[in-house]
Amino acid sequence: MKRNTLCMAIAVWALSLSAPAQNFDESKVAPYQLPDPLTCTDGTKVTTSRQWEKKRRPEVMEMFQSLMYGRTPKEKVKAEYTLMKEDTHWLGGKATVQQVKMHFTGNGSTHDAMLLIVRPNAVKKTPVIFCYNFQGNAQTMGYDSSILPHASSSFYDQIWVNHDGCGVWDYERAVDRGYAIATMCYHDIHPDDPEYRGQSVAKLFAGYEEGEQMRSDAWSAIGMWAWGASRVADYLEKQPWADKRHLAVMGHSRLGKTALWAGAQDTRFGVVISNESGCGGATLTRRNFGETLEIITGAFPHWFCPGFRNFVGKEHQMPFDQHELLALVAPRALYVASAEQDQWCDPKGEFLSAYHAGEVYHLYGYQGLDTTEQPGLHQPIMHRVGYHIRAGIHDVTCYDWSRYLDFCDRHFAP
Ligand code: GTR
């Protein structure tokens, strides 16, 4: 076991001894009152989509930036994209695989990330789903030796978090259904370890030197991963083969949290999909079920801005909750998915959060989930807001991918 791994395991174990026991009993969920997405800070009630966009949405955005995910820098960095490798005969000639190096320059520093794209040859203007991977681009292709090492691979084995439930990469299904998948290893943007901030894209920005991470609203790892998703969108929207009106962002678990924050900020993502994103993602923080704020901010301090920790034990005083993060995606299409055995993520809390986001969708004349009854297993709801819960554990399965493609078909229809 690596030293870092051991230290972190001890820290998580010690934390679990001191943390209040997590609740997995629905009858012990304490009553809670959610903040109203449609009431502005000055008490004004929002009744139109225009009011939402002009007044309330910026307020909600500001809360998530200043209190949870940290402030995304406004400056632009120079980005160069180089096609390193291309195979136009993948999957028996059905698909093209492209490997693109993204090279960023800013604040006297440079930073590289490696993007992998698989796209169908038969489609002229292809909708694209961007989805970060946990273990490197090669892993998503069964360790195909033609896949270039991802940019962070040289120190990858020193990073203590190594994710097991990294799921199925159903490239062929996507290609057959006319979709391109773009992916990149999330460590390429911020290695997933609090000690590796110096190796992250933070260094590309003025003012992001030593000590800045102490600011209460300092940019978090989730914030940086979301930023990386937008840099991929910058590239995709310039590709002649890509249908820039039809870009989706999808993510699993911590990368589901990331997909939501990316989709909240970047309106180029027309479909935003959270696969089992749980605490700090889709699920309601106020519902005491599954993972708690104390546990997540203790185990993964770098995922959120430092100020977020102030809400530990004071969840009911938070001026926002995660249904409002989901509402930031409106009027674009939003899909939240849970798994039955993934109680850590609080499937019911994910469902209720998506339900409550519906209020904002109604301002645009769209249907939200529009039922407070959580559907049974494998009974997806597919309105402008979608939801499913499937049997099984915390993972991304073929069932999940198939529903996401169905949902994209519905919302990307010409
Ligand atoms: C867990 C964390 C969850 C979830 C998960 C993951 O350890 O507690 O919030 O994000 O990691 O990303 O797999």
Side-chain angles (χ1 to χ4, degrees):
M1 197 186 268
K2 296 241 159 13
R3 220 189 87 234
N4 264 355
T5 317
L6 183 64
C7 294
M8 211 31 111
I10 292 170
V12 171
W13 170 75
L15 196 84
S16 72
L17 291 183
S18 60
Q22 310 104 54
N23 172 42
F24 293 103
D25 179 348
E26 192 57 39
S27 72
K28 297 209 173 98
V29 171
Y32 58 89
Q33 190 165 6
L34 292 177
D36 178 6
L38 299 183
T39 301
C40 300
T41 321
D42 65 5
T44 317
K45 296 277 178 209
V46 173
T47 55
T48 65
S49 56
R50 196 182 145 76
Q51 266 179 309
W52 163 258
E53 280 173 24
K54 293 268 164 278
K55 185 162 177 170
R56 180 61 179 156
R57 191 178 188 279
E59 284 181 0
V60 174
M61 186 63 86
E62 174 58 21
M63 288 190 281
F64 281 101
Q65 287 218 59
S66 58
L67 301 173
M68 188 166 182
Y69 300 117
R71 236 169 249 294
T72 309
K74 292 213 169 51
E75 307 108 273
K76 290 213 166 22
V77 297
K78 186 173 164 213
E80 291 157 282
Y81 299 90
T82 312
L83 179 60
M84 306 292 286
K85 231 174 165 183
E86 182 173 57
D87 173 2
T88 55
H89 291 96
W90 205 60
L91 290 176
K94 279 197 289 196
T96 290
V97 177
Q98 292 181 319
Q99 300 184 66
V100 177
K101 184 155 107 180
M102 315 205 294
H103 180 74
F104 304 113
T105 311
N107 192 34
S109 291
T110 62
H111 190 96
D112 290 346
M114 193 68 82
L115 180 67
L116 173 72
I117 295 166
V118 178
R119 61 183 176 87
N121 288 331
V123 186
K124 272 220 174 71
K125 282 280 179 194
T126 316
V128 193
I129 303 175
F130 172 67
C131 180
Y132 272 114
N133 66 69
F134 287 93
Q135 296 186 339
N137 296 343
Q139 184 273 334
T140 74
M141 294 252 189
Y143 296 102
D144 184 324
S145 58
S146 66
I147 304 304
L148 298 166
H150 57 104
S152 54
S153 56
S154 56
F155 51 88
Y156 179 65
D157 62 349
Q158 297 162 35
I159 302 169
W160 71 272
V161 178
N162 203 342
H163 206 279
D164 295 327
C166 49
V168 165
W169 285 83
D170 212 351
Y171 288 118
E172 186 156 15
R173 185 188 307 264
V175 163
D176 288 342
R177 293 188 53 169
Y179 286 85
I181 305 272
T183 188
M184 152 168 106
C185 181
Y186 79 135
H187 297 300
D188 276 10
I189 297 295
H190 186 315
D192 194 0
D193 183 312
E195 285 176 30
Y196 279 80
R197 191 180 178 89
Q199 312 274 0
S200 76
V201 294
K203 63 181 182 299
L204 298 170
F205 297 90
Y208 282 80
E209 263 83 58
E210 288 285 288
E212 61 79 24
Q213 67 265 43
M214 303 311 290
R215 260 191 6 227
S216 116
D217 63 352
W219 205 19
S220 67
I222 289 181
M224 293 182 216
W225 296 326
W227 176 91
S230 291
R231 301 297 67 79
V232 173
D234 294 345
Y235 174 76
L236 291 173
E237 66 174 3
K238 295 212 173 69
Q239 301 315 299
W241 58 266
D243 183 348
K244 66 173 184 180
R245 296 167 311 121
H246 292 156
L247 301 182
V249 60
M250 190 282 254
H252 171 54
S253 207
R254 67 200 70 181
L255 299 178
K257 307 180 209 301
T258 299
L260 290 171
W261 183 226
Q265 296 174 92
D266 192 332
T267 56
R268 291 173 297 179
F269 293 114
V271 171
V272 178
I273 304 166
S274 147
N275 192 83
E276 300 152 26
S277 61
C279 182
T283 205
L284 297 171
T285 309
R286 277 171 172 74
R287 246 180 73 89
N288 60 316
F289 194 103
E291 188 171 24
T292 64
L293 218 60
E294 181 167 15
I295 293 172
I296 201 170
T297 55
F300 307 104
H302 56 303
W303 287 1
F304 306 98
C305 66
F308 190 48
R309 259 167 271 159
N310 298 335
F311 293 114
V312 169
K314 299 190 193 128
E315 290 79 352
H316 293 269
Q317 290 168 28
M318 288 170 59
F320 60 92
D321 210 317
Q322 297 308 100
H323 61 309
E324 291 172 298
L325 172 70
L326 303 185
L328 288 173
V329 176
R332 291 162 292 131
L334 165 76
Y335 199 96
V336 172
S338 311
E340 188 188 20
Q341 289 174 46
D342 185 15
Q343 296 295 305
W344 187 244
C345 273
D346 184 13
K348 184 157 185 201
E350 293 186 312
F351 167 76
L352 289 171
S353 182
Y355 165 76
H356 288 293
E359 282 187 62
V360 175
Y361 283 82
H362 295 159
L363 294 175
Y364 292 88
Y366 285 120
Q367 264 187 293
L369 294 180
D370 296 356
T371 172
T372 50
E373 186 107 352
Q374 190 176 11
L377 299 181
H378 313 122
Q379 291 172 32
I381 300 177
M382 294 218 184
H383 301 148
R384 193 71 171 184
V385 180
Y387 178 82
H388 75 238
I389 176 163
R390 60 152 173 82
I393 57 165
H394 187 65
D395 203 350
V396 191
T397 65
C398 290
Y399 178 85
D400 299 316
W401 275 113
S402 301
R403 297 298 74 75
Y404 302 151
L405 294 169
D406 294 346
F407 192 67
C408 287
D409 279 352
R410 181 178 285 246
H411 294 290
F412 286 163

